[in-house]
Structures are given as structure tokens and as C-alpha cells.
Amino acid sequence: MSDKPPRYASWTAGKLPLPELLELKRRGEKIVMVTAYDAPSGRLADEAGVDLILVGDSSGMVVHGRESTVAVTLDEIVFMTQWVTRGAKRPLVIADMPFGSYETSNEQAIGNAVRLVKEGGADAVKLERGGTSVERAKAVVDSGIPVMGHVGLTPQTATVLGGFKAQGRTAEQAQALIDDALALQSAGCFAIVLEAVPAAVAAAATRALDVPTIGIGAGGDTDGQVLVWHDMLGYYEGHAPRFVKRYAELGKTIVEALGRYAEDVRSGAFPEEQHTYAMPEGERESFELKASSQPR
Ligand code: KIV
């Protein structure tokens, strides 16, 4: 048994049991989710007591410097999931299914979800949108892999949505968004991400759904929250959406540290004695003697 506080109804050491998420919703306790893309960030998120880690295709933008998530490949997500699962032991690790990895057929969706679980070590997968994704989600759930849905602003299809902007802002769109979330729940999804939707719509969706909602830019009434690692830690220089709260300024800290390093290298202040390896005295003398007798 761990000596961590008994936050979960049935605390056991090891992986957070998936059914605990429903219990957290029932008890009104918020679920904490963050993205991560490598082993150190997985380990740090685990150490901080985060419940869910998303190996998001946001990596395409915040790690790999692309303009959107569309070009992210399944292989990239498989690799990153392997790294994250080496670092994170307690949190459930959810691997994003990138654009083009589940749209064609149920067979394609199942095959690629299986890769994320078998090769990547993911505990669950996430896919975007309602519509045809509902059938894909059901097929993947039926194959034995837990699926998280994602509605509202779905970055993989941002072009169709008119860009990276809030969704569900008319009564009709809001109802359609809630219908999509309900359909994903009926398909067997264990939780639904609500991205960039008005707080009132997210609150209504959270009441309507039995499974937990995880909000990002969806107000405070969802069952949990998710933020992108680089956005929340100040480690990304691109445009951060208005819903991001910065909890650190790692970018500034890193530039400052690299600047001091450059200064020390140029001035000779680094390395110091403590950063170098010595030779036993006798060996050093004999080496210097040999070196001095060598023809130049
Ligand atoms: O890829 C991602 O990081 C996401 C979150 C923004 C929910 O999908």
C-alpha cells in the first residue's frame, strides 16, 4: 500500500483503475489530466499526482514545430507513448489517434488502436469528433480498448470548423455538440473531452452525460480539466489560447540558464576542477614523460 492520501475510493498501488473515473465524477472530485510526450514528463506528471496523461497529437505543434496537428503520424504517437509509459506508472496513459489513423474503416481504427496499446503501452486511446467517429469508437471499444471521445474544437478538422475557434456558440450547435457527446457515450467511451466550448454548454453536457467530461477551454463545471504541457509550463512560444493558465515560465528559465552556460564557456569559468577527471599521480607523471619524449 502507498502512503499517499486515500483520494481514490479503492486505493491500490499501481495503475489507477479506469472505473475510478466514474467514482470521481459521482463524488464530485475533479479529474486532473495533462499532456506529456516523453519519459521525464511522464514521470513528473506521475510524481505530481496527475490522474490521466494524454500523449496528444498537440505534439505536432508544441514539440515538432508544425502549424497544425494534421501531419502527425501514428508512428510518432507510438514512439512517444512508449517514452511516456516508461516514466508514468500510476496515471492512465491515453494515446491520441492522429488524423488519418481511424477515418477509413472500423478495421483501420481497431488495427491502429491495437498498435498504440501493444507497441506503445497505452491504457486507452482518444479520437476526435462525432459523426463517423462514433462508429469507429464503438468498434475500438468492442475490440477491448477503452476510448475517450473529443468534441467541440477538434484540431484535426479545424479547417472545416473555420479555424481554431470556440464551438457550440449557437443554441443549435450547442445541442448538436451534446448529441455527439451522448452518441460517443452510447458507443462506450469512458470519458469525453470538451474543447473550446461555452461554459454553459459544457455544464449542460456534464449533467447530461454519465461518463466524466474533461474540459479544456470549457469552464469550471466539467468533471476534470486538461492542459497542454508546453502551454501551461511556458515552454512554447506560439500563440497560446485564452484558456491557458501558465503555471511556470520554463522557456525563460531555460534561455537564462543557456545564456549563463554560454558566458561561462566563453570566459573559461566552466568547467571547474569539480567537473574534470583526475589521473593517479604516478600515472600522470609517466604519461607526461612519455608524451614529452614523443617526436613532434
Ligand atoms: O492533442 C491534444 O493535446 C489534445 C488536448 C488539447 C485535449 O487533444
Side-chain angles (χ1 to χ4, degrees), residues 35 37 54 56-58 96 126 128 150 193 195 216 226 228:
T35 68
Y37 314 101
L54 173 66
D57 62 1
S58 49
D96 234 348
K126 175 170 85 58
E128 294 189 3
H150 181 161
V193 168
E195 178 164 355
I216 174 161
V226 55
V228 169

